[in-house]
Amino acid sequence: MNRTKTLVILIAAAFAATPVLANEREHLELLRQTTLNLIDALVESGALPKEKADGLLKAAEKKAAKTVRENTSMEPKPVRVQYVPETVKNEIREQLKQEVLAQAKNERWAEPNAVPEWLDRIKWEGDIRLRYQTESYPQGNTPAKDFDTPIPGFGSLTRAADVGAANSFNVNTGNTEDDRSRLRLRARLGMLARVSDSWSAGIRLATGNSTDRVSTNQSLGQNFNKYQLMLDRAYLKYDPADWLSISGGRIPNPWYGMDVVWDEDINFEGLAATLKPIIKADAPFRPFLTVGAFPMRESSPPVANSRWIYGGQLGGHWNLGRSTNFKFGLAYYKFQGLEGHVIPSNEFFNAADPKDNAYTSPDYRRYEYESGLRQKGNTLFATNALTDSSLKTIWGLASKFSPVVLSAGLDIGRFDPVHLILEGEYAKNTAFDRDEISRRTGYVLTDGKSHAYQVRMTVGMPQLKAVNDWQVYGGYRYVGSDSVVDAFTDSDFGLGGTNLKGYFLGARYGVDRNAFLNIRMLSADTIDSPTLIDSAHKFGVDVIQADVNVRF
């Protein structure tokens, strides 16, 4: 430490140790003598030269004299203090208080353990479901080997192409007779970010795979291999007004309804807009209109034609009073470019020479209803050229699809928290035309159904959130073969697809906050022949699912 610092510390310590005296003159004299004594001590110890000490004393005397002269020459000026009423003081204090509190809240510097403001604009949500599932096949089901129709152009119609498919060992990969049990897991994690008052963005990850759009389940028993997390949702949402919402990207299902047309796990790719006119703030009836356009496949000539889904739904929510609400929606969906067409023979050259075989060309499959898309139930026909003698059938949809769908639900809450909920849905494929099918495919279709419906009754709490919340439900389902596109309908009833009828029963019980158990049984049988070869052919399955669900 240098000498100057030593001097400063000693003087500061002396001042701090000076006792408070009643007489101000004595106090000043004590400070003077203490300072002189400290300077003498520093000089004697050699820490401060004698010349520098004398210079410090002379400089201090000159500065003190100057201060005394200035203070004595200044005349005191009158000070005017304006009287402020006590009420005005209180008002000023309150305004300052509110301003400070508002600033503290906005900037979050007055909250303990405060987090940055932008975190308040992000909402996280997710769920995990563990399921035990059994699949029981009744006696009398048609064996899988009888579903096979390998020769194109020779009775090649089917409603379950993949049941009759065989592997490289010529063994059918489908199952119609052997019972099955398995554990399944579903995990989903989503984030919704409110970018501004009008813009938001959503992202969700989920288990599953890229070939099954109607399920996010992952079957356990993969030799402890890790599971995939898929990008289930990724979209932007724009809400310019209370009555308009526009979404784009991979968006949640924008339609109101049950799972006759759209499975509950379906997410849409494209654009959708919902219009909710504001009639009156307390109006009992609130209408809505939703429109959307969704590409299924981009156009890539000559390999593939574009496929689109267009839709519109008009409906409303009606408050009938006494805790009773009614909601309905009338929708029309147009599937463009999905139907199959027979490949012209001039596009198929020499079937005997694989190098000169149009079957190996990508454009030969542009009308295919591919195995990774379809479930089962829709009527399929061979699109192969008539000159194609290969044993590989390229399946296409026999019917076009433009379903009209009416959905409705009545929630009676007079005995709240217990509600009685009645729901129903009816679909009619207005594009189903047997004559048109015959002209386009060359096949005469004598069976098949173009309508579907489902009814359901639920008793209990509308949503399970707390411990001891409960719910029981049951219903009946009838989905004709060509009423809706089997790729997108419910994947659990009859293990997915159309051409199925039967009932379902279930119960749910809340074991804790945001945790509940669910058990249900779904019994389904085919309506028309799944093979179209023999009217006696049939397929049925009873599915029992027991779930443990947690939400966060």
Side-chain angles (χ1 to χ4, degrees):
M1 182 181 295
N2 58 38
R3 294 176 178 178
T4 304
K5 287 185 178 179
T6 303
L7 175 61
V8 172
I9 292 173
L10 289 173
I11 294 174
F15 285 171
T18 302
V20 178
L21 302 177
N23 192 311
E24 183 178 359
R25 185 177 183 83
E26 292 181 5
H27 178 65
L28 293 175
E29 183 63 25
L30 177 61
L31 290 177
R32 177 176 176 278
Q33 291 299 327
T34 302
T35 303
L36 291 175
N37 292 338
L38 284 172
I39 293 175
D40 291 341
L42 289 172
V43 172
E44 291 177 1
S45 65
L48 185 67
K50 181 75 167 58
E51 296 79 8
K52 193 167 186 177
D54 293 340
L56 288 173
L57 292 174
K58 290 180 180 179
E61 290 175 355
K62 289 181 180 180
K63 194 169 184 179
K66 181 180 179 181
T67 302
V68 170
R69 287 195 301 271
E70 291 177 351
N71 290 339
T72 55
S73 64
M74 294 176 59
E75 296 182 1
K77 296 181 180 180
V79 178
R80 297 179 180 180
V81 179
Q82 187 175 0
Y83 173 72
V84 179
E86 192 66 27
T87 56
V88 176
K89 293 180 182 179
N90 292 336
E91 184 177 350
I92 294 173
R93 278 195 295 267
E94 185 62 26
Q95 289 179 355
L96 291 174
K97 176 182 176 182
Q98 294 302 323
E99 290 177 3
V100 172
L101 289 177
Q103 183 178 2
K105 183 178 180 181
N106 291 334
E107 299 178 2
R108 310 192 69 169
W109 47 262
E111 298 181 20
N113 302 319
V115 296
E117 178 271 337
W118 61 268
L119 288 177
D120 285 341
R121 295 185 276 111
I122 294 180
K123 177 183 177 182
W124 294 92
E125 62 180 5
D127 65 274
I128 296 178
R129 181 181 70 194
L130 182 61
R131 166 176 289 176
Y132 175 73
Q133 179 169 313
T134 65
E135 301 155 14
S136 300
Y137 298 94
Q139 293 183 353
N141 271 5
T142 301
K145 63 181 181 63
D146 293 337
F147 280 72
D148 194 15
T149 54
I151 304 175
F154 194 78
S156 293
L157 293 173
T158 186
R159 294 192 175 102
D162 300 308
V163 175
N167 58 22
S168 58
F169 299 100
N170 201 31
V171 176
N172 289 96
T173 57
N175 178 31
T176 63
E177 298 177 292
D178 298 324
D179 294 349
R180 181 184 186 186
S181 299
R182 50 181 164 163
L183 281 171
R184 313 191 82 185
L185 176 71
R186 182 184 73 180
R188 301 183 296 191
L189 177 63
M191 180 196 73
L192 181 64
R194 182 171 52 84
V195 180
S196 66
D197 292 339
S198 300
W199 288 91
S200 59
I203 296 177
R204 188 171 80 174
L205 303 176
T207 49
N209 57 72
S210 60
T211 61
D212 191 350
R213 64 208 42 80
V214 290
S215 177
T216 51
N217 289 314
Q218 171 66 57
S219 294
L220 278 64
Q222 308 296 323
N223 293 323
F224 294 170
N225 282 336
K226 295 177 285 293
Y227 304 145
Q228 298 182 76
L229 270 180
M230 313 301 294
L231 186 61
D232 193 36
R233 292 177 182 172
Y235 63 94
L236 297 177
K237 188 177 181 183
Y238 179 51
D239 299 292
D242 293 339
W243 48 269
L244 178 62
S245 179
I246 304 172
S247 300
R250 185 169 173 83
I251 67 176
N253 187 346
W255 315 110
Y256 165 70
M258 305 175 73
D259 53 5
V260 171
V261 183
W262 310 112
D263 183 272
E264 65 176 359
D265 287 325
I266 276 285
N267 292 292
F268 286 73
E269 298 175 3
L271 295 171
T274 298
L275 196 68
K276 296 181 179 180
I278 301 176
I279 301 175
K280 283 180 60 177
D282 57 348
F285 180 72
R286 299 193 300 274
F288 68 87
L289 173 65
T290 300
V291 294
F294 313 99
M296 284 183 59
R297 186 177 72 184
E298 65 172 331
S299 177
S300 181
V303 176
N305 300 330
S306 64
R307 292 174 176 174
W308 284 80
I309 302 175
Y310 301 100
Q313 185 178 55
L314 177 65
H317 182 276
W318 199 350
N319 184 352
L320 302 177
R322 303 188 69 179
S323 301
T324 300
N325 295 281
F326 177 70
K327 188 174 183 179
F328 73 94
L330 180 64
Y332 173 77
Y333 306 109
K334 172 69 175 179
F335 292 80
Q336 179 176 295
L338 192 58
E339 69 276 5
H341 296 270
V342 176
I343 303 298
S345 295
N346 59 6
E347 295 188 18
F348 192 87
F349 303 101
N350 184 7
D353 184 0
K355 296 181 180 180
D356 192 20
N357 190 341
Y359 174 74
T360 62
S361 177
D363 65 316
Y364 195 61
R365 291 175 172 268
R366 63 183 180 271
Y367 301 119
E368 182 181 18
Y369 185 49
E370 55 268 33
S371 60
L373 178 61
R374 62 186 181 240
Q375 294 193 78
K376 63 178 181 294
N378 288 159
T379 304
L380 307 178
F381 75 103
T383 63
N384 304 62
L386 296 178
T387 55
D388 181 2
S389 60
S390 67
L391 297 181
K392 178 65 176 179
T393 304
I394 302 177
W395 297 110
L397 281 171
S399 177
K400 296 180 179 180
F401 287 87
S402 298
V404 173
V405 185
L406 176 62
S407 308
L410 179 65
D411 183 349
I412 304 173
R414 293 181 59 185
F415 305 100
D416 191 71
V418 176
H419 287 230
L420 172 63
I421 304 173
L422 304 174
E423 298 172 286
E425 190 163 77
Y426 179 84
K428 172 68 176 179
N429 181 15
T430 60
F432 182 78
D433 186 330
R434 298 182 191 276
D435 293 335
E436 190 275 335
I437 292 174
S438 179
R439 290 192 299 269
R440 180 165 42 82
T441 69
Y443 296 96
V444 177
L445 186 62
T446 59
D447 65 354
K449 304 294 188 297
S450 61
H451 66 279
Y453 62 88
Q454 178 172 299
V455 292
R456 171 176 171 143
M457 181 176 71
T458 302
V459 178
M461 288 67 174
Q463 295 181 342
L464 274 64
K465 297 182 178 180
V467 62
N468 296 326
D469 283 357
W470 60 274
Q471 188 182 92
V472 293
Y473 56 90
Y476 183 82
R477 180 183 179 96
Y478 182 103
V479 185
S481 59
D482 298 296
S483 56
V484 298
V485 178
D486 66 19
F488 305 117
T489 189
D490 179 36
S491 61
D492 293 320
F493 186 78
L495 298 180
T498 64
N499 193 35
L500 293 167
K501 63 179 179 179
Y503 65 90
F504 54 91
L505 300 169
R508 297 177 179 176
Y509 180 75
V511 295
D512 208 333
R513 183 168 59 91
N514 293 324
F516 65 94
L517 305 178
N518 177 53
I519 184 169
R520 65 172 178 170
M521 175 181 178
L522 307 98
S523 179
D525 294 288
T526 50
I527 300 170
D528 294 305
S529 171
T531 66
L532 283 90
I533 300 173
D534 189 333
S535 60
H537 286 180
K538 64 180 181 178
F539 171 83
V541 60
D542 294 332
V543 178
I544 297 178
Q545 298 171 336
D547 305 336
V548 180
N549 298 264
V550 295
R551 293 188 296 251
F552 52 90

